[in-house]
Amino acid sequence: MFAEEDLTRDAFLGGRVQAWQPRHGYRAATDPVFLAAACDARPGQSVLELGCGAGVAGLCLAARVPGLRILGVERQAAYADLARRNGVDVVEADLTDLPDDLRRQSFDHVIANPPYYRAGHGTAADDPGREAALREDTPLDRWIAVAGRRLAPKGWLTMIQMTERLPDTLSALSGGFGSVTVLPLMPRQGRPAGRILLKARKAGRGPFTLLAPLCLHDGARHDRDGDSHGEIARAILRDGMPVVWGTPPKTRSI
């Protein structure tokens, strides 16, 4: 477990969410916030997060949508303990070896921020917790297969992933998902999208939809200190506005 002096208390959604995180290791930034904003859950529904870490995505989702039943799965004991301290209901388990009682449950939504890098690719992180969060041990197609088994009929999977892993993701979804919609997250105008948000419906029959990118920052380059997020990105990250899977409306706060 993390020692008290190795933790920080961090704010998300403009301070609406407070979460303990390790000072060193995997630290949630904007990706879990975007993931939570992309989930179209409604009050009274159930949500399972695979690989929840310290629980930031679930906390942000709960802050926006009241009355959800949210359960996290996390295999790293220290992070599972931290998520519980943050107020998240967590099962400590490997997603490929879930306990029997969880395998008997189904959920309206599954959300996930799987490791971005394939095994053996890139430079390994010094911290084992960060390494486990960023580089896959369990292949991406297993994450998606587990999500499909835990979803109720016509349930929704929502993910955030690196753009370069989109072909792998779409290939894995082809076995049991449809109605796939992809929203690229572009850091600045004219830059390639580094991340994608994706939602897919179990046994969905709708067409594949590729939306226009959401530009995260104003300006062509970073040329000043402070917050340079664009209006929509700022509303999501600061005010708790949901991701709109279509034409963005005027911004609004929760």
Side-chain angles (χ1 to χ4, degrees):
M1 303 305 171
F2 295 106
E4 200 69 24
E5 61 270 19
D6 293 331
L7 298 176
T8 62
R9 182 78 162 162
D10 301 311
F12 299 87
L13 298 185
R16 293 172 175 82
V17 169
Q18 302 282 332
W20 292 101
Q21 297 201 92
R23 193 179 302 275
H24 306 288
Y26 175 73
R27 291 175 55 80
T30 61
D31 286 357
V33 184
F34 277 111
L35 175 63
C39 179
D40 284 334
R42 300 188 303 275
Q45 290 188 323
S46 57
V47 181
L48 177 68
E49 182 180 6
L50 300 178
C52 69
V56 171
L59 293 170
C60 291
L61 180 55
R64 177 171 61 85
V65 185
L68 293 176
R69 180 172 71 90
I70 301 176
L71 179 65
V73 174
E74 176 54 50
R75 71 173 184 173
Q76 298 189 79
Y79 286 86
D81 181 70
L82 203 53
R84 294 189 191 99
R85 179 172 176 176
N86 286 330
V88 179
D89 189 11
V90 178
V91 172
E92 183 184 325
D94 191 297
L95 64 90
T96 63
D97 188 24
L98 297 176
D100 289 342
D101 61 338
L102 181 50
R103 290 204 299 267
R104 289 192 290 268
Q105 298 180 51
S106 61
F107 297 81
D108 299 301
H109 297 269
V110 172
I111 62 174
N113 180 10
Y116 289 154
Y117 304 105
R118 299 180 184 89
H121 286 236
T123 303
D126 294 333
D127 180 86
R130 181 174 174 79
E131 174 67 10
L134 295 179
R135 202 169 321 281
E136 69 180 19
D137 181 26
T138 302
L140 181 59
D141 61 352
R142 293 291 300 278
W143 284 73
I144 292 172
V146 171
R149 289 194 290 270
R150 297 281 59 79
L151 278 169
K154 301 298 183 179
W156 288 93
L157 169 63
T158 305
M159 296 175 60
I160 186 168
Q161 184 55 271
M162 289 181 65
T163 304
E164 67 182 59
R165 302 299 305 275
L166 180 56
D168 299 333
T169 305
L170 294 176
S171 177
L173 289 169
S174 65
F177 288 88
S179 307
V180 179
T181 301
V182 174
L183 174 62
L185 301 179
M186 180 173 62
R188 295 181 185 277
Q189 289 292 342
R191 303 278 187 89
R195 302 276 193 273
I196 56 101
L197 288 168
L198 177 148
K199 69 173 183 176
R201 196 169 200 181
K202 183 175 180 177
R205 297 182 178 275
F208 173 81
T209 303
L210 178 63
L211 299 176
L214 170 60
C215 187
L216 302 184
H217 296 274
D218 291 331
R221 63 183 184 276
H222 181 75
D223 56 7
R224 62 179 175 83
D225 293 334
D227 185 1
S228 64
H229 284 109
E231 182 184 12
I232 297 298
R234 187 182 305 113
I236 291 169
L237 296 172
R238 302 287 185 183
D239 301 330
M241 190 187 88
V243 166
V244 177
W245 294 93
T247 303
K250 295 181 179 179
T251 58
R252 61 187 184 276
S253 299
I254 60 174

